[in-house]
Amino acid sequence: RKEVEQDPGPFNVPEGATVAFNCTYSNSASQSFFWYRQDCRKEPKLLMSVYSSGNEDGRFTAQLNRASQYISLLIRDSKLSDSATYLCVVTRSGNTGKLIFGQGTTLQVKP
Amino acid sequence: EAGVTQFPSHSVIEKGQTVTLRCDPISGHDNLYWYRRVMGKEIKFLLHFVKESKQDESGMPNNRFLAERTGGTYSTLKVQPAELEDSGVYFCASSPPPTRTEAFFGQGTRLTVV
C-alpha cells in the first residue's frame, strides 16, 4: 500500500466550477502536510501547507483531518490556468525535510 | 536570484553506459535532495545532503547509483551502469536550514535508457 494515496483522475471541470481533491496517508506519525502543483513537464512547486485548523489562500482551501489521516484541497471558481497535477505530500516525524509524495491528481479545466 | 538548476535537461543513453546528472542548488541552501519519478509512479525520495554530508540515502535503489556533493555546493548523481528501469525524471531540490522550510525543485533531468 502506498504511504500517500490520491485518486489520479483526471478531473475534467468547466471554468468556474468548484472541485475538491482528497488524499489519505497511512503513517500516523506523519508530521507536515502540503499540496504541491506540477505543470506538464515542469517541476513541482509548493501550492500551500496544510494545517489542522484549515487554511485558505484565495480560491484554494486546504484541510487536514489527523484522526482520519485525510487531507483535502478545494478549488473554487476554477480557472483555465488551474489545469495541472496536484500532488499531496507529507513528511515523517524527525523533520528531515524528506518529502513523501502521492501519485498526483490531474485537473483539466475546460472553457 | 537563480533557482535550482539541473543539467542536462534530457539524456538518452544505452543500457550499460554511465550517466552523470548535476544539480546546482540555490546559493546558501545547506539541504539538497534528489528525487526520481519513474513513469506511472509517484515521485520518490533518493537521498538528502546537509552541506557535503549524506544525511539520508535510504531511497537509493542500489549500488549503481552514487551521489556526491563535494564542498557542499553542487551535487552529482552518477548511474553506472545504467539499466532500462533507471529511466525517469530525476529532480533535485534544495532548502535553507532548518529542514522544515520549503524545498525548491529544479526542472529535472529526463533520463531515457534504451
Side-chain angles (χ1 to χ4, degrees), chain B residues 50-77:
Chain B
V50 176
K51 296 185 181 178
E52 66 274 9
S53 300
K54 288 179 187 173
Q55 192 75 9
D56 179 359
E57 51 184 331
S58 61
M60 294 288 263
N62 51 60
N63 60 10
R64 294 185 295 102
F65 289 75
L66 175 64
E68 293 179 325
R69 192 183 182 194
T70 307
T73 54
Y74 71 91
S75 174
T76 58
L77 179 64

Side-chain angles (χ1 to χ4, degrees), chain A residues 38 41 43 95-96 99 103, chain B residues 33 35 37 40 99 106 110:
Chain A
Q38 186 174 25
R41 293 185 172 261
E43 73 275 22
N95 249 350
T96 66
L99 303 176
Q103 196 169 351
Chain B
Y33 304 85
Y35 291 87
R37 184 167 202 160
T99 51
R110 187 170 297 273

